[in-house]
């Protein structure tokens, strides 16, 4: 059995005398007593899961299908990560503010050259105007980029002289571009402003529409060289390059899947450029895709899990992703990564984001559905009878997930040569998409899982911020705030009696779970249409109170609040009202010095992406009015619902609702079904742009007057 060595939460080891060959021999638990942390080493084998059986099953599976000696045609494209969590080195010492990697400076120099070439290419489309808002003539731009084209020479100059002159001209041109852009921003009457809300994709539609994807030199330096840091104190926010920084992000879960497919990359580039045009500076994406490979199966197949279900599940995902081709798998089996997805997908995505001055937030798994595999795939690999509770508490399941974290963190980019855990383009890692523990109020298993994963991430990747991905429900540790939790009504078909929906049954506890020292930012989502069954006025009032209640708790936690998921259904007038309210509340928080980290918008879509769930935000009337495809037939959906509800402890959840119920009638109205109304889509895009402008004005490189210049005039604790 195991015994403990070491006495602190971040400097310890376990030794074991368990039989050799077991999958994990160094599992541990971090515990909290009323006075201090202590470490408890635990045996590997879970009472309900035969760890040795899983080890033997996986070893045979990987040897037969994912090794150099297997019959797989792509045998050299697999990266074995089994046990990597134990061998990945810990990064010691305080994290630096800027990258010290040897190739970082060279990458920045190359990006600055590429930036000038991008502007020159855009300028060529506007040669007929013969005047540049950056004050550079066509001959100057041509000379600055001439030798970038193979075979182009300048008469009377050697190749070395051409390169030297080009570099000098590029630097001078870049400085003039930045200066002119700064003047335009402060004057408010630039040619760019007249096109700020243009939605056409033509390169001649205006200078902002064309040049918005081109970052300034300072933005490139901050993106490629500087790590995002959390400031300290009651009004703590985020800082980048030693300046206040507001995370203005958008969700793009499918970015990695599309990046691997060369013919689909234009969609990724389109949305990255569109985000830049709107003033956004960060993209959140799913950095995982597990399972879906025929023949992998499970170490312990469950009797309830039939082959028909898995076939229907694959069919569902194929229909869901039919616009993107077949889904691409990052981890086809437990303990092995797809090298092609890592290099052609993840590395390319990081590279392209960096060129545009965009920071990234990779999400490590999914707790809200089976899309891309997620938590359910990990438990299915071990034992198909396991539930979400086992994902958080079962040692074998957790060790497989820790190996995956280690595999991503240790991966070195094929573009830059920088390991992901030292990559400045990454602003933060998000542990999961909407982790929860239905039926378990203020879940201790969820808390223990977050603590263990947080310690691991901070040991192996301390340069980056760490996010939980929680949706922000208040738990029993904050009884005075339970009134702000969203309330709706659900129907228990088994008992034919309604229960009042109570958010504490999700298992989240905003205060309890965000007190963990390893998490730098507190998170809360805003989805009034999903969470409330009342009229629009009620939903708007709830949204305002929800944000302010979390800001008050963020002050107590001394951790800035990230509104990490904001969405509203159509009609567009309602969507604009929600986003407009969020913009006003964010601006209010900035002006009063409250700890606001930023926001992440949900639903920004490419015109060819179908609006499957009604949250899509488009930039053209044709895309807005497109019909939604049917995902699956009713019988398939019913089977999926049954298996998902079993995994998510549905009966425990209903029992918790019944216990927590206070008002049997529940709710104060009925939500109306949103229709695919088209009018107002352009105003929604305008409001998104106004949200992005907050980030540009707050500590940005074009800032003429700090938005927080009145902080001393307002009490930091006044959030009412």
């Amino acid at each position: 059995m195991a015994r403990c060595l070491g006495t602190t939460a971040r400097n310890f080891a376990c030794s074991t005398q368990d039989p050799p060959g077991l999958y994990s021999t160094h599992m541990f638990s971090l515990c909290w007593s009323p006075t201090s942390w202590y470490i408890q080493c635990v045996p590997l084998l879970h009472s309900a899961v035969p760890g040795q059986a899983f080890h033997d099953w996986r070893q045979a599976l990987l040897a037969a299908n994912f090794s150099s000696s297997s019959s797989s045609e792509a045998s050299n494209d697999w990266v074995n990560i089994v046990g990597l969590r134990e061998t990945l080195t810990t990064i010691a010492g305080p994290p630096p503010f800027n990258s010290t990697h040897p190739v970082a400076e060279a990458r920045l120099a190359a990006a600055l050259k590429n930036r000038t070439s991008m502007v020159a290419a855009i300028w060529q489309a506007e040669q007929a105007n013969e005047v540049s808002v950056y004050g550079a003539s066509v001959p100057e731009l041509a000379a600055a980029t001439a030798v970038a084209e193979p075979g182009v020479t300048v008469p009377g100059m050697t190749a070395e002289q051409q390169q030297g002159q080009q570099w000098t001209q590029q630097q001078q041109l870049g400085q003039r571009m930045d200066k002119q852009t700064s003047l335009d921003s402060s004057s408010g009457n630039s040619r760019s402003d007249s096109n700020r809300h243009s939605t056409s994709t033509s390169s001649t539609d205006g200078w902002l529409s064309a040049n918005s994807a081109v970052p300034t030199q300072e933005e490139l330096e901050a993106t490629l060289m500087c790590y995002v840091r959390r400031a300290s104190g009651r009004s703590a926010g985020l800082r980048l390059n030693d300046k206040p920084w507001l995370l203005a992000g958008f969700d793009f879960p499918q970015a990695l899947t599309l990046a691997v497919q060369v013919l689909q990359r234009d969609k990724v580039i389109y949305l990255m450029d569109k985000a830049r045009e709107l003033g956004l500076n960060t993209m959140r994406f799913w950095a995982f895709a597990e399972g879906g490979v025929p023949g992998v199966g499970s170490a312990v197949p469950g009797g309830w899990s039939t082959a028909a279900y898995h076939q229907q599940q694959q069919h569902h995902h194929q229909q869901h992703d039919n616009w993107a081709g077949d889904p691409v798998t990052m981890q086809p089996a437990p303990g092995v990564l797809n090298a092609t997805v890592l290099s052609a997908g993840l590395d390319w995505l990081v590279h392209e984001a960096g060129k545009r001055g965009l920071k990234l937030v990779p999400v490590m798994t999914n707790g809200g559905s089976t899309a891309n595999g997620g938590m359910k795939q990990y438990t299915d690999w071990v034992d198909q009878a396991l539930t979400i509770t086992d994902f958080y508490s079962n040692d074998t399941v957790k060790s497989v997930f820790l190996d995956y974290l280690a595999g991503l963190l240790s991966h070195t980019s094929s573009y830059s040569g920088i390991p992901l855990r030292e990559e400045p383009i990454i602003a933060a890692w998000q542990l999961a998409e909407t982790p929860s523990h239905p039926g378990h109020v203020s879940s201790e298993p969820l808390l223990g899982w977050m603590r263990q994963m947080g310690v691991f991430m901070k040991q192996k990747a301390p340069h980056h911020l760490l996010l939980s991905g929680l949706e922000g429900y208040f738990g029993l540790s904050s009884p005075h705030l339970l009134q702000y939790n969203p309330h709706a009504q659900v129907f228990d078909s088994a008992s034919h009696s309604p229960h009042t929906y109570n958010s504490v049954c999700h298992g989240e506890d905003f205060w309890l779970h965000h007190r963990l020292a390893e998490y730098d930012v507190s998170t809360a989502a805003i989805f009034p249409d999903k969470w409330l069954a009342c009229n629009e006025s009620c939903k708007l009032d709830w949204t305002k109170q929800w944000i302010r209640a979390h800001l008050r708790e963020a002050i107590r936690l001394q951790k800035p609040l990230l509104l990490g998921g904001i969405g509203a259904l159509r009609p567009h007038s309602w969507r604009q009202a929600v986003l407009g309210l969020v913009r006003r509340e964010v601006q209010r928080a900035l002006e009063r010095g409250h700890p606001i980290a930023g926001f992440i918008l949900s639903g920004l879509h490419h015109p060819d992406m179908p609006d499957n769930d009604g949250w899509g935000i488009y930039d053209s009337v044709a895309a807005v009015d497109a019909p939604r495809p049917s995902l699956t037939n009713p019988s398939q959906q019913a089977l999926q619902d049954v298996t998902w509800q079993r995994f998510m402890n549905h009966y425990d959840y209903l029992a918790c609702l019944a216990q927590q119920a206070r008002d049997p009638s529940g709710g104060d109205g009925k939500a109306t079904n949103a229709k695919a109304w088209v009018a107002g889509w352009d105003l929604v895009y305008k409001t998104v742009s106004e949200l992005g402008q907050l980030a540009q004005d707050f500590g940005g490189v074009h800032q003429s007057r700090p938005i927080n210049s009145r902080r001393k005039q307002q009490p930091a604790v006044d959030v009412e």
Side-chain angles (χ1 to χ4, degrees), residues 97 107 219-228 239-241 245 247-250 272 276 280-285 350 353-354 356-362 423-428 464:
F97 288 95
R107 181 177 66 174
E219 286 174 323
L220 273 179
E221 180 181 355
T223 302
L224 298 178
M225 296 294 296
C226 303
Y227 298 110
V228 179
R239 299 186 69 84
L240 179 64
N241 200 17
W245 187 70
L247 191 156
F250 70 103
M272 284 185 176
R276 286 287 311 176
L280 306 181
N281 55 32
T282 305
M283 181 178 78
R284 182 169 65 181
F285 70 100
V350 173
R356 289 163 173 78
L358 286 173
K359 291 285 189 180
L360 295 175
V361 178
E423 176 57 77
I425 297 174
I426 295 177
H464 300 125

Side-chain angles (χ1 to χ4, degrees), residues 178-190 192-193 196 693 696-697 701-704:
D178 290 345
K179 180 179 180 181
Q180 185 64 41
T181 303
S182 180
L183 292 173
D184 291 341
S185 177
S186 60
S187 65
N189 58 1
S190 70
S192 300
D193 291 335
R196 180 171 298 280
Q693 189 62 38
Q696 298 293 316
D697 294 339
V701 296
H702 308 318
Q703 179 181 349
S704 57

Side-chain angles (χ1 to χ4, degrees), residues 66-143:
F66 303 99
S67 68
S68 58
S69 59
S70 68
S71 58
S72 171
E73 296 180 359
S75 59
N76 294 324
D77 292 331
W78 308 116
V79 179
N80 192 305
I81 57 172
V82 175
L84 185 58
R85 72 192 184 283
E86 297 177 345
T87 59
L88 183 63
T89 58
T90 295
I91 299 179
F97 288 95
N98 302 318
S99 174
T100 58
H101 199 279
V103 304
E105 290 283 357
R107 181 177 66 174
L108 176 61
L112 291 173
K113 290 185 178 182
N114 177 73
R115 170 179 174 270
T116 303
S117 299
M118 290 171 63
V119 174
I122 294 171
W123 172 250
Q124 291 174 3
E126 299 241 339
Q127 287 188 23
N129 296 327
E130 296 185 359
V131 176
S132 168
V133 295
Y134 296 124
S137 64
V138 174
E140 285 179 309
L141 284 163

Side-chain angles (χ1 to χ4, degrees), residues 142-163:
T145 58
V147 297
E149 298 292 334
V152 177
T153 59
V154 179
M157 296 180 65
T158 65
E160 290 77 9
Q161 290 173 328
Q162 286 181 227
Q163 292 176 354

Side-chain angles (χ1 to χ4, degrees), residues 262-568:
V262 176
L263 296 181
Q264 301 292 339
R265 286 180 172 179
D266 63 300
K267 296 180 175 65
V268 181
I269 293 175
Y270 178 92
L271 276 184
M272 284 185 176
D273 290 346
K274 185 61 64 175
R276 286 287 311 176
E277 176 183 334
L278 294 169
L280 306 181
N281 55 32
T282 305
M283 181 178 78
R284 182 169 65 181
F285 70 100
W286 287 1
F288 62 92
E290 297 97 9
V293 177
V296 172
S298 171
V300 184
W304 60 269
S305 183
T306 64
Y309 162 70
H310 290 291
Q311 292 175 359
Q312 291 162 351
Q313 186 181 45
Q314 291 176 7
H315 177 67
H316 167 78
H317 289 312
Q318 288 174 356
Q319 285 190 317
H320 188 276
D321 294 329
N322 58 6
W323 56 272
D326 293 332
V328 179
T329 300
M330 167 82 85
Q331 188 176 195
V336 63
L337 300 183
N338 189 329
T340 301
V341 176
L342 287 171
S343 58
L346 189 58
D347 293 349
W348 180 86
L349 197 63
V350 173
H351 175 71
E352 290 297 322
K355 289 197 308 185
R356 289 163 173 78
L358 286 173
K359 291 285 189 180
L360 295 175
V361 178
V363 183
M364 313 303 285
T365 190
N366 182 13
S369 71
T370 58
N372 282 33
M375 296 180 180
K376 189 175 187 302
Q377 183 59 70
Y378 283 93
T379 59
D380 279 357
W381 277 330
V382 176
D383 186 337
Q384 293 179 357
L386 300 183
T387 68
I388 187 68
T389 301
D390 299 289
F391 180 82
Y392 298 133
S393 59
N394 181 272
D395 295 335
T396 304
V397 175
K398 289 191 292 183
S399 63
V400 178
F401 184 65
L402 282 168
D403 277 342
Y404 183 68
L405 296 183
L408 281 191
L409 296 179
S410 62
H411 172 68
T412 298
S413 172
S414 57
Y415 281 81
S416 66
I418 299 177
L420 284 183
R421 61 176 177 160
E422 300 178 34
E423 176 57 77
I425 297 174
I426 295 177
W429 299 94
Q430 182 172 314
L431 201 55
E433 179 85 358
T434 62
S436 63
H437 194 193
H440 297 261
V441 177
S442 300
S443 170
E444 285 292 336
L446 175 58
L447 178 67
W449 178 80
M450 288 180 57
R451 181 183 295 124
Q452 182 174 352
M453 301 303 146
V455 169
F456 181 85
M457 292 294 294
K458 282 302 183 182
Q459 286 179 339
K460 310 304 180 183
H463 296 358
H464 300 125
L465 302 178
L466 183 61
L467 313 179
S468 65
L470 295 171
E471 293 186 289
Y473 299 120
F474 295 114
L476 297 186
S477 67
S478 306
H480 59 294
L481 297 177
L482 295 179
Q483 59 181 314
Y484 299 111
N485 276 343
H487 291 271
Q489 181 171 300
V490 297
F491 189 77
D492 180 4
S493 57
S495 64
H496 302 285
S497 62
H499 294 308
T500 299
Y501 174 88
N502 194 314
S503 300
V504 300
C505 293
H506 274 273
E508 290 187 37
D509 192 315
F510 180 81
W511 169 259
L512 177 68
H513 291 151
H514 281 117
R515 285 188 64 189
L516 296 173
E518 290 74 27
Y519 295 86
D520 302 283
V521 175
S522 58
T523 61
I526 301 175
F527 291 104
D529 294 315
K530 182 191 298 185
W531 293 343
L532 298 172
C534 60
N535 59 32
E536 293 181 355
S537 175
C538 159
K539 292 178 181 178
L540 287 176
D541 182 67
W542 170 84
T543 299
K544 180 173 68 174
Q545 298 302 326
W546 177 256
I547 295 174
R548 295 186 181 184
H550 283 88
L551 281 172
R552 288 193 293 271
E553 290 299 275
I555 292 174
R556 293 179 60 207
L557 289 166
Q558 297 193 22
K559 294 183 179 181
L561 174 66
L562 174 65
L563 301 175
I566 304 169

Side-chain angles (χ1 to χ4, degrees), residues 596-634:
I596 184 78
F599 59 87
I600 297 179
L601 300 176
S602 296
L604 197 62
H605 274 31
H606 184 277
D608 293 340
M609 295 167 61
D611 189 11
N612 293 323
D613 50 15
W615 303 99
I617 299 176
Y618 293 97
D619 66 344
S620 68
V621 65
V624 171
D625 203 24
R628 302 182 197 172
S630 175
L631 294 181
T632 184
N633 64 46

